[in-house]
Every structure is written in C-alpha cells, then in structure tokens.
Amino acid sequence: MNKWLKTLLFLAGSALLTRLIPFSSLFRNLDTMFHEFGHALVTLLLSGSVLRIELYADHSGVTYSAIEAGGKAVLVSLAGYTLASLFSLLLFYLYNRGWYRWGLLLASGVALVMLVLYVRGGFGMLWLGGFILLNVVMLFVWPKAGKYYYLFLAFLTLEESVMSSLFLVSAAAVTPGRAGDAANLARLTPLPAIVWALLFLVFSLLCAKWALGFFFKEERGRRSSASY
C-alpha cells in the first residue's frame, strides 16, 4: 500500500477510535500544551519574555509574550504548529527505541514547567496537575499499563497535530483574519494566511508519515523477534 495512503488511513482510524475512548477529550489538550510550549520555548530562545499561557477546555490555548517585531516574531508564530508536530514525531521515535518512559517523563516535565512558571488559569492549572499525576501513576504505580497509555497519547497527539492544522486551513480559507498563527504570519509577511496554513498542514503530514514509519518499524521488529 502507498505510504501516504497508509498514513491517511491510520490518521482517520486514529481520529475515529480515540473518540470512542471514554474521557479521551480531556487528553486532546496535550497537543495544545506542546503547541503553546513551542511558542514559549522559541520566545525564550530569542531573548523574549513569556508573560503567561492559557489553556482552555475547548482544546484551544494562547501564549502571551513580548518579543521584538520582525524576524523574531515570525519565528515565534511559526513555532506552535511546527513544534507540536515535532513533539508527536519525537513520541513515536522514543517508542521505537523502547524509551516510552522517557517520553512520559518529557511530557510531564513540559507540563510541570508550564504549571510552575506560566499557566495561571483555573482549567489550565487543573489539567496540567492532573496530567502530571496520571503520568506518575503510570510510571511508578501501574507500569504494566504505561506502554498502552503512552501509545494512546502518541496517537492522540499525532492525530490532533494534523487535525488542528486542517482546521486552520479551513479557518484561513473562510475567515483569514481569525486564523490564529496563520493570520499572525500573514500580517508579518507577504504570504496570505491560507498559504501558511497549508504549509503547517503539509509539515504535520510529513511528521505523521515519519512517526508512523517509526511505529511500523518497531511492530515489525517485535513480530520478527517473536517468530524465533
């Protein structure tokens, strides 16, 4: 089967199946967490300051930061969707290497940094605290379920990174001035919002293709080992 077709089918299947899992909606904020952390991280790397981060129950979020206008502002606007897709790719790479515990620690570390330093809204603080606590349970209290929990998070984050980019394309086509990061980039550059949204979508699909490659490779390796 064509690799791109397989990628699209797995993404569609993941989007369907994860919605059937009870309380899965609560975990969709993981992609938002990585997205907003991407904005914050690049802001700090470019010597800007992060004022606060807000996470909302509808899976949206916003990062308030102070950064110089121009190229630095462009990089900060690029960081959200880009780093969210790269984080989802990293989760599958760690799974492929058998390091899923490190993936849970990484996600918990990001959540802890955001909780301690930047998030002050009621829902955001509650969600981050609950996410960290659940990860601790999976790592140290119920480790046998940790691998399956990790795969659930990885697939959910991968699917959300693509779906959020797809929704951005839709918003940029209908109401370009309200298309989030794509609208910001349109104001900062000569390219319209729809172009930036499509670039985010293409990048998320590339990351999804590479991520699923790591997943299939690990599964094939496990089956080969079991055959001996």
Side-chain angles (χ1 to χ4, degrees):
M1 184 184 296
N2 179 275
K3 290 184 178 180
W4 278 111
L5 179 58
K6 184 184 290 187
T7 297
L8 293 175
L9 288 174
F10 262 80
L11 287 172
S14 176
L16 176 62
L17 292 175
T18 55
R19 279 165 172 76
L20 299 177
I21 298 175
F23 308 110
S24 64
S25 178
L26 289 174
F27 294 94
R28 296 185 187 280
N29 283 90
L30 182 57
D31 178 71
T32 308
M33 182 190 81
F34 285 137
H35 180 114
E36 301 306 332
F37 182 74
H39 285 310
L41 179 62
V42 173
T43 297
L44 296 174
L45 290 175
L46 295 176
S47 302
S49 59
V50 178
L51 305 178
R52 73 180 190 277
I53 297 173
E54 296 182 3
L55 301 176
Y56 303 113
D58 63 356
H59 312 142
S60 64
V62 60
T63 298
Y64 295 94
S65 60
I67 192 73
E68 293 179 13
K72 289 185 177 181
V74 170
L75 291 175
V76 171
S77 295
L78 284 170
Y81 285 97
T82 303
L83 289 186
S85 294
L86 289 175
F87 268 116
S88 69
L89 175 60
L90 177 60
L91 292 179
F92 278 91
Y93 171 77
L94 293 173
Y95 174 76
N96 174 262
R97 303 293 295 180
W99 298 337
Y100 72 89
R101 290 177 178 272
W102 287 105
L104 287 178
L105 288 171
L106 172 65
S108 301
V110 171
L112 183 61
V113 169
M114 292 180 66
L115 178 61
V116 173
L117 298 180
Y118 301 120
V119 176
R120 292 295 175 265
F123 173 81
M125 296 181 71
L126 181 64
W127 187 90
L128 291 169
F131 179 66
I132 294 169
L133 179 61
L134 183 57
N135 288 350
V136 169
V137 170
M138 291 299 176
L139 282 167
F140 303 108
V141 180
W142 198 14
K144 290 185 178 180
K147 182 177 181 180
Y148 304 102
Y149 169 71
Y150 180 84
L151 276 177
F152 165 68
L153 294 181
F155 271 103
L156 193 65
T157 305
L158 185 70
E159 171 247 313
E160 284 295 301
S161 69
V162 175
M163 292 300 294
S164 62
S165 299
L166 188 60
F167 289 140
L168 187 69
V169 171
S170 176
V174 179
T175 53
R178 301 178 62 183
D181 292 341
N184 291 336
L185 288 163
R187 287 190 287 268
L188 294 167
T189 69
L191 298 178
I194 187 65
V195 173
W196 286 112
L198 287 170
L199 288 173
F200 285 136
L201 177 60
V202 169
F203 185 74
S204 69
L205 287 171
L206 283 171
C207 287
K209 179 175 176 290
W210 295 331
L212 290 174
F214 285 129
F215 175 73
F216 294 134
K217 183 178 179 181
E218 202 281 339
E219 292 299 310
R220 285 195 298 268
R222 188 176 2 168
R223 286 196 296 268
S224 297
S225 300
S227 65
Y228 286 99

PDB file of all heavy atoms in Angstrom, residues 104-130:
ATOM      1  N   LEU A 104       7.119   9.804  28.573  1.00  0.00           N
ATOM      2  CA  LEU A 104       6.193  10.238  29.624  1.00  0.00           C
ATOM      3  C   LEU A 104       6.859  11.249  30.551  1.00  0.00           C
ATOM      4  O   LEU A 104       6.224  12.218  30.993  1.00  0.00           O
ATOM      5  CB  LEU A 104       5.709   9.034  30.429  1.00  0.00           C
ATOM      6  CG  LEU A 104       4.706   8.116  29.733  1.00  0.00           C
ATOM      7  CD1 LEU A 104       4.350   6.938  30.638  1.00  0.00           C
ATOM      8  CD2 LEU A 104       3.449   8.874  29.333  1.00  0.00           C
ATOM      9  N   LEU A 105       8.134  11.029  30.850  1.00  0.00           N
ATOM     10  CA  LEU A 105       8.865  11.991  31.688  1.00  0.00           C
ATOM     11  C   LEU A 105       9.008  13.335  30.988  1.00  0.00           C
ATOM     12  O   LEU A 105       8.896  14.387  31.616  1.00  0.00           O
ATOM     13  CB  LEU A 105      10.239  11.429  32.053  1.00  0.00           C
ATOM     14  CG  LEU A 105      10.249  10.286  33.076  1.00  0.00           C
ATOM     15  CD1 LEU A 105      11.644   9.681  33.181  1.00  0.00           C
ATOM     16  CD2 LEU A 105       9.772  10.785  34.440  1.00  0.00           C
ATOM     17  N   LEU A 106       9.273  13.308  29.675  1.00  0.00           N
ATOM     18  CA  LEU A 106       9.395  14.544  28.908  1.00  0.00           C
ATOM     19  C   LEU A 106       8.081  15.321  28.925  1.00  0.00           C
ATOM     20  O   LEU A 106       8.057  16.534  29.191  1.00  0.00           O
ATOM     21  CB  LEU A 106       9.798  14.227  27.467  1.00  0.00           C
ATOM     22  CG  LEU A 106       9.777  15.407  26.490  1.00  0.00           C
ATOM     23  CD1 LEU A 106      10.823  16.439  26.891  1.00  0.00           C
ATOM     24  CD2 LEU A 106      10.023  14.925  25.063  1.00  0.00           C
ATOM     25  N   ALA A 107       6.973  14.630  28.634  1.00  0.00           N
ATOM     26  CA  ALA A 107       5.666  15.294  28.637  1.00  0.00           C
ATOM     27  C   ALA A 107       5.344  15.850  30.029  1.00  0.00           C
ATOM     28  O   ALA A 107       4.815  16.963  30.160  1.00  0.00           O
ATOM     29  CB  ALA A 107       4.581  14.321  28.181  1.00  0.00           C
ATOM     30  N   SER A 108       5.678  15.079  31.070  1.00  0.00           N
ATOM     31  CA  SER A 108       5.442  15.539  32.437  1.00  0.00           C
ATOM     32  C   SER A 108       6.306  16.746  32.760  1.00  0.00           C
ATOM     33  O   SER A 108       5.853  17.676  33.442  1.00  0.00           O
ATOM     34  CB  SER A 108       5.727  14.408  33.429  1.00  0.00           C
ATOM     35  OG  SER A 108       4.918  13.285  33.171  1.00  0.00           O
ATOM     36  N   GLY A 109       7.543  16.740  32.269  1.00  0.00           N
ATOM     37  CA  GLY A 109       8.437  17.861  32.507  1.00  0.00           C
ATOM     38  C   GLY A 109       7.933  19.141  31.861  1.00  0.00           C
ATOM     39  O   GLY A 109       7.977  20.225  32.471  1.00  0.00           O
ATOM     40  N   VAL A 110       7.449  19.030  30.619  1.00  0.00           N
ATOM     41  CA  VAL A 110       6.874  20.196  29.939  1.00  0.00           C
ATOM     42  C   VAL A 110       5.673  20.720  30.716  1.00  0.00           C
ATOM     43  O   VAL A 110       5.528  21.929  30.942  1.00  0.00           O
ATOM     44  CB  VAL A 110       6.473  19.840  28.490  1.00  0.00           C
ATOM     45  CG1 VAL A 110       5.663  20.978  27.859  1.00  0.00           C
ATOM     46  CG2 VAL A 110       7.709  19.545  27.651  1.00  0.00           C
ATOM     47  N   ALA A 111       4.807  19.799  31.143  1.00  0.00           N
ATOM     48  CA  ALA A 111       3.620  20.198  31.908  1.00  0.00           C
ATOM     49  C   ALA A 111       4.007  20.878  33.216  1.00  0.00           C
ATOM     50  O   ALA A 111       3.399  21.882  33.616  1.00  0.00           O
ATOM     51  CB  ALA A 111       2.751  18.969  32.179  1.00  0.00           C
ATOM     52  N   LEU A 112       5.049  20.350  33.885  1.00  0.00           N
ATOM     53  CA  LEU A 112       5.472  20.921  35.164  1.00  0.00           C
ATOM     54  C   LEU A 112       6.031  22.327  34.979  1.00  0.00           C
ATOM     55  O   LEU A 112       5.722  23.237  35.763  1.00  0.00           O
ATOM     56  CB  LEU A 112       6.521  20.014  35.810  1.00  0.00           C
ATOM     57  CG  LEU A 112       7.024  20.441  37.188  1.00  0.00           C
ATOM     58  CD1 LEU A 112       5.866  20.471  38.191  1.00  0.00           C
ATOM     59  CD2 LEU A 112       8.124  19.487  37.664  1.00  0.00           C
ATOM     60  N   VAL A 113       6.847  22.521  33.949  1.00  0.00           N
ATOM     61  CA  VAL A 113       7.408  23.852  33.679  1.00  0.00           C
ATOM     62  C   VAL A 113       6.293  24.853  33.412  1.00  0.00           C
ATOM     63  O   VAL A 113       6.293  25.976  33.944  1.00  0.00           O
ATOM     64  CB  VAL A 113       8.379  23.794  32.478  1.00  0.00           C
ATOM     65  CG1 VAL A 113       8.748  25.203  32.011  1.00  0.00           C
ATOM     66  CG2 VAL A 113       9.641  23.035  32.847  1.00  0.00           C
ATOM     67  N   MET A 114       5.325  24.450  32.597  1.00  0.00           N
ATOM     68  CA  MET A 114       4.218  25.355  32.290  1.00  0.00           C
ATOM     69  C   MET A 114       3.387  25.657  33.523  1.00  0.00           C
ATOM     70  O   MET A 114       2.962  26.794  33.749  1.00  0.00           O
ATOM     71  CB  MET A 114       3.351  24.754  31.183  1.00  0.00           C
ATOM     72  CG  MET A 114       4.064  24.683  29.836  1.00  0.00           C
ATOM     73  SD  MET A 114       3.052  23.967  28.520  1.00  0.00           S
ATOM     74  CE  MET A 114       1.764  25.200  28.337  1.00  0.00           C
ATOM     75  N   LEU A 115       3.151  24.617  34.344  1.00  0.00           N
ATOM     76  CA  LEU A 115       2.341  24.798  35.551  1.00  0.00           C
ATOM     77  C   LEU A 115       3.016  25.729  36.545  1.00  0.00           C
ATOM     78  O   LEU A 115       2.381  26.619  37.126  1.00  0.00           O
ATOM     79  CB  LEU A 115       2.081  23.434  36.200  1.00  0.00           C
ATOM     80  CG  LEU A 115       1.292  23.438  37.517  1.00  0.00           C
ATOM     81  CD1 LEU A 115      -0.102  24.022  37.308  1.00  0.00           C
ATOM     82  CD2 LEU A 115       1.206  22.020  38.082  1.00  0.00           C
ATOM     83  N   VAL A 116       4.309  25.555  36.755  1.00  0.00           N
ATOM     84  CA  VAL A 116       5.032  26.337  37.759  1.00  0.00           C
ATOM     85  C   VAL A 116       5.282  27.772  37.306  1.00  0.00           C
ATOM     86  O   VAL A 116       5.162  28.720  38.091  1.00  0.00           O
ATOM     87  CB  VAL A 116       6.363  25.645  38.114  1.00  0.00           C
ATOM     88  CG1 VAL A 116       7.214  26.532  39.018  1.00  0.00           C
ATOM     89  CG2 VAL A 116       6.107  24.299  38.778  1.00  0.00           C
ATOM     90  N   LEU A 117       5.594  27.934  36.024  1.00  0.00           N
ATOM     91  CA  LEU A 117       6.073  29.243  35.567  1.00  0.00           C
ATOM     92  C   LEU A 117       5.052  30.106  34.830  1.00  0.00           C
ATOM     93  O   LEU A 117       5.104  31.336  34.949  1.00  0.00           O
ATOM     94  CB  LEU A 117       7.297  29.050  34.658  1.00  0.00           C
ATOM     95  CG  LEU A 117       8.529  28.408  35.290  1.00  0.00           C
ATOM     96  CD1 LEU A 117       9.643  28.283  34.263  1.00  0.00           C
ATOM     97  CD2 LEU A 117       9.008  29.214  36.491  1.00  0.00           C
ATOM     98  N   TYR A 118       4.147  29.481  34.075  1.00  0.00           N
ATOM     99  CA  TYR A 118       3.405  30.302  33.125  1.00  0.00           C
ATOM    100  C   TYR A 118       1.881  30.191  33.178  1.00  0.00           C
ATOM    101  O   TYR A 118       1.199  31.165  32.889  1.00  0.00           O
ATOM    102  CB  TYR A 118       3.866  29.977  31.702  1.00  0.00           C
ATOM    103  CG  TYR A 118       5.333  30.208  31.492  1.00  0.00           C
ATOM    104  CD1 TYR A 118       6.190  29.170  31.105  1.00  0.00           C
ATOM    105  CD2 TYR A 118       5.901  31.464  31.692  1.00  0.00           C
ATOM    106  CE1 TYR A 118       7.539  29.381  30.923  1.00  0.00           C
ATOM    107  CE2 TYR A 118       7.255  31.691  31.518  1.00  0.00           C
ATOM    108  CZ  TYR A 118       8.067  30.641  31.136  1.00  0.00           C
ATOM    109  OH  TYR A 118       9.413  30.850  30.963  1.00  0.00           O
ATOM    110  N   VAL A 119       1.334  29.041  33.481  1.00  0.00           N
ATOM    111  CA  VAL A 119      -0.118  28.868  33.409  1.00  0.00           C
ATOM    112  C   VAL A 119      -0.744  29.283  34.732  1.00  0.00           C
ATOM    113  O   VAL A 119      -0.360  28.798  35.795  1.00  0.00           O
ATOM    114  CB  VAL A 119      -0.480  27.409  33.076  1.00  0.00           C
ATOM    115  CG1 VAL A 119      -2.003  27.229  33.099  1.00  0.00           C
ATOM    116  CG2 VAL A 119       0.068  27.039  31.701  1.00  0.00           C
ATOM    117  N   ARG A 120      -1.736  30.162  34.641  1.00  0.00           N
ATOM    118  CA  ARG A 120      -2.405  30.652  35.843  1.00  0.00           C
ATOM    119  C   ARG A 120      -3.919  30.467  35.786  1.00  0.00           C
ATOM    120  O   ARG A 120      -4.606  30.654  36.775  1.00  0.00           O
ATOM    121  CB  ARG A 120      -2.068  32.136  36.058  1.00  0.00           C
ATOM    122  CG  ARG A 120      -0.604  32.364  36.416  1.00  0.00           C
ATOM    123  CD  ARG A 120      -0.265  31.749  37.760  1.00  0.00           C
ATOM    124  NE  ARG A 120       1.145  31.843  38.077  1.00  0.00           N
ATOM    125  CZ  ARG A 120       2.030  30.874  37.838  1.00  0.00           C
ATOM    126  NH1 ARG A 120       1.625  29.738  37.266  1.00  0.00           N
ATOM    127  NH2 ARG A 120       3.294  31.005  38.152  1.00  0.00           N
ATOM    128  N   GLY A 121      -4.466  30.164  34.636  1.00  0.00           N
ATOM    129  CA  GLY A 121      -5.908  29.964  34.526  1.00  0.00           C
ATOM    130  C   GLY A 121      -6.356  28.715  35.257  1.00  0.00           C
ATOM    131  O   GLY A 121      -5.615  27.732  35.353  1.00  0.00           O
ATOM    132  N   GLY A 122      -7.580  28.726  35.778  1.00  0.00           N
ATOM    133  CA  GLY A 122      -8.084  27.613  36.585  1.00  0.00           C
ATOM    134  C   GLY A 122      -8.068  26.283  35.850  1.00  0.00           C
ATOM    135  O   GLY A 122      -7.552  25.290  36.368  1.00  0.00           O
ATOM    136  N   PHE A 123      -8.653  26.234  34.631  1.00  0.00           N
ATOM    137  CA  PHE A 123      -8.690  24.972  33.909  1.00  0.00           C
ATOM    138  C   PHE A 123      -7.292  24.503  33.558  1.00  0.00           C
ATOM    139  O   PHE A 123      -6.975  23.310  33.708  1.00  0.00           O
ATOM    140  CB  PHE A 123      -9.520  25.095  32.628  1.00  0.00           C
ATOM    141  CG  PHE A 123      -9.437  23.863  31.758  1.00  0.00           C
ATOM    142  CD1 PHE A 123     -10.218  22.745  32.040  1.00  0.00           C
ATOM    143  CD2 PHE A 123      -8.543  23.795  30.692  1.00  0.00           C
ATOM    144  CE1 PHE A 123     -10.117  21.590  31.270  1.00  0.00           C
ATOM    145  CE2 PHE A 123      -8.440  22.646  29.914  1.00  0.00           C
ATOM    146  CZ  PHE A 123      -9.223  21.547  30.207  1.00  0.00           C
ATOM    147  N   GLY A 124      -6.442  25.399  33.078  1.00  0.00           N
ATOM    148  CA  GLY A 124      -5.087  25.017  32.677  1.00  0.00           C
ATOM    149  C   GLY A 124      -4.296  24.422  33.818  1.00  0.00           C
ATOM    150  O   GLY A 124      -3.628  23.395  33.658  1.00  0.00           O
ATOM    151  N   MET A 125      -4.358  25.025  34.982  1.00  0.00           N
ATOM    152  CA  MET A 125      -3.632  24.516  36.135  1.00  0.00           C
ATOM    153  C   MET A 125      -4.177  23.157  36.565  1.00  0.00           C
ATOM    154  O   MET A 125      -3.408  22.251  36.905  1.00  0.00           O
ATOM    155  CB  MET A 125      -3.709  25.524  37.289  1.00  0.00           C
ATOM    156  CG  MET A 125      -3.035  26.852  37.005  1.00  0.00           C
ATOM    157  SD  MET A 125      -3.105  28.009  38.393  1.00  0.00           S
ATOM    158  CE  MET A 125      -1.968  27.219  39.536  1.00  0.00           C
ATOM    159  N   LEU A 126      -5.501  23.021  36.557  1.00  0.00           N
ATOM    160  CA  LEU A 126      -6.115  21.749  36.940  1.00  0.00           C
ATOM    161  C   LEU A 126      -5.730  20.647  35.955  1.00  0.00           C
ATOM    162  O   LEU A 126      -5.391  19.531  36.375  1.00  0.00           O
ATOM    163  CB  LEU A 126      -7.634  21.912  36.996  1.00  0.00           C
ATOM    164  CG  LEU A 126      -8.437  20.675  37.408  1.00  0.00           C
ATOM    165  CD1 LEU A 126      -8.090  20.274  38.838  1.00  0.00           C
ATOM    166  CD2 LEU A 126      -9.937  20.952  37.282  1.00  0.00           C
ATOM    167  N   TRP A 127      -5.771  20.957  34.655  1.00  0.00           N
ATOM    168  CA  TRP A 127      -5.450  19.952  33.645  1.00  0.00           C
ATOM    169  C   TRP A 127      -3.987  19.528  33.747  1.00  0.00           C
ATOM    170  O   TRP A 127      -3.674  18.319  33.722  1.00  0.00           O
ATOM    171  CB  TRP A 127      -5.735  20.487  32.244  1.00  0.00           C
ATOM    172  CG  TRP A 127      -5.575  19.429  31.192  1.00  0.00           C
ATOM    173  CD1 TRP A 127      -6.530  18.577  30.734  1.00  0.00           C
ATOM    174  CD2 TRP A 127      -4.355  19.083  30.510  1.00  0.00           C
ATOM    175  NE1 TRP A 127      -5.987  17.719  29.796  1.00  0.00           N
ATOM    176  CE2 TRP A 127      -4.666  18.005  29.642  1.00  0.00           C
ATOM    177  CE3 TRP A 127      -3.058  19.576  30.538  1.00  0.00           C
ATOM    178  CZ2 TRP A 127      -3.707  17.420  28.823  1.00  0.00           C
ATOM    179  CZ3 TRP A 127      -2.096  18.988  29.717  1.00  0.00           C
ATOM    180  CH2 TRP A 127      -2.431  17.925  28.869  1.00  0.00           C
ATOM    181  N   LEU A 128      -3.083  20.475  33.856  1.00  0.00           N
ATOM    182  CA  LEU A 128      -1.656  20.152  33.929  1.00  0.00           C
ATOM    183  C   LEU A 128      -1.349  19.326  35.176  1.00  0.00           C
ATOM    184  O   LEU A 128      -0.597  18.347  35.116  1.00  0.00           O
ATOM    185  CB  LEU A 128      -0.820  21.435  33.922  1.00  0.00           C
ATOM    186  CG  LEU A 128      -0.810  22.217  32.603  1.00  0.00           C
ATOM    187  CD1 LEU A 128      -0.175  23.590  32.813  1.00  0.00           C
ATOM    188  CD2 LEU A 128      -0.058  21.446  31.521  1.00  0.00           C
ATOM    189  N   GLY A 129      -1.918  19.721  36.313  1.00  0.00           N
ATOM    190  CA  GLY A 129      -1.691  18.969  37.541  1.00  0.00           C
ATOM    191  C   GLY A 129      -2.217  17.548  37.444  1.00  0.00           C
ATOM    192  O   GLY A 129      -1.555  16.589  37.867  1.00  0.00           O
ATOM    193  N   GLY A 130      -3.417  17.382  36.872  1.00  0.00           N
ATOM    194  CA  GLY A 130      -3.983  16.046  36.712  1.00  0.00           C
ATOM    195  C   GLY A 130      -3.177  15.197  35.745  1.00  0.00           C
ATOM    196  O   GLY A 130      -2.997  13.990  35.966  1.00  0.00           O
TER     197      GLY A 130
END
